[in-house]
Amino acid sequence: MGITKLLYSVVCALASVITPLIVLRELRKSFLHFAATALACIFLALLWKASYLDRQMTIWNHPNLLESSDSPYGRITATRLYNQISVFENDALSFETEGTDAENFCHLVALQHPNPRDVLILGGGIEGLVREIAKYKPRRIDYVELNPVMLNLVTRYLPDDVRKSLEEPNVHIIFARPPAIS
């Protein structure tokens, strides 16, 4: 659950606790009035700890949590188990650093062309696609990434060879937004 969703739920819960206070004004001495007041105070106290609560709830699903962040496209979560970094998008595995998917994909495609000079990668560069295609020494690699939050969050946890491949002078990272649907 994202921090904004958590805040919305706390505000809604607070509103549902305060409503009986307004409705039950004439019952000032009743137990229900005191219970509603106590719950309102508890929810206000929890509001101050929303980021801590959000992290703790994320750890329930991802015990080896490194970091988590919300983006316009969903919740990005990075975990580490030994040397493997796993990246989840909305709690679904997006990629992990110990896999061979990038190698299989890049080499199969690069072998179709005798001398790839200009390469366009649409997403997946942080998964290792840039590292693998750079082995063919292209003149230019344009890597288009849709989600800058994912790139910024995950880059610091990537293996050195993948991170360094993204910093090569012939690699150009382009952030692109899809066109609005009208």
Side-chain angles (χ1 to χ4, degrees), residues 113 115-121 133 137-142:
H113 193 283
N115 187 15
R117 304 283 291 146
D118 296 323
V119 178
L120 174 64
I121 297 175
I133 207 70
K137 307 277 191 248
R139 178 181 57 199
R140 180 181 177 96
I141 300 173
D142 287 331

Side-chain angles (χ1 to χ4, degrees), residues 80 83 85 97-98 131 154-168:
R80 177 191 311 256
N83 290 330
I85 304 298
T97 58
E98 297 292 317
R131 174 193 63 201
V154 175
T155 301
R156 62 180 150 261
Y157 302 113
L158 291 174
D160 289 337
D161 58 342
V162 176
R163 189 173 47 248
K164 287 177 185 174
S165 71
L166 293 171
E167 297 168 355
E168 292 293 323

Side-chain angles (χ1 to χ4, degrees), residues 102-114 116 119-120 133 136:
E103 296 158 1
N104 294 338
F105 182 74
C106 280
H107 297 302
L108 182 64
V109 171
L111 289 173
Q112 303 297 317
H113 193 283
V119 178
L120 174 64
I133 207 70
Y136 292 90

Side-chain angles (χ1 to χ4, degrees), residues 1 11 16-18 22 30 34 38 50 58-59 76 79 82 86 92 96 108 125 134 145 150-152 165 168 170 174:
M1 182 186 314
V11 167
S16 66
V17 168
I18 291 175
I22 296 169
S30 75
F34 290 119
T58 304
I59 288 175
I76 310 299
T79 64
Y82 304 112
S86 299
E96 43 85 19
L108 182 64
E145 177 61 48
M150 179 182 282
L151 184 72
N152 293 332
S165 71
E168 292 293 323
N170 65 331
I174 303 161

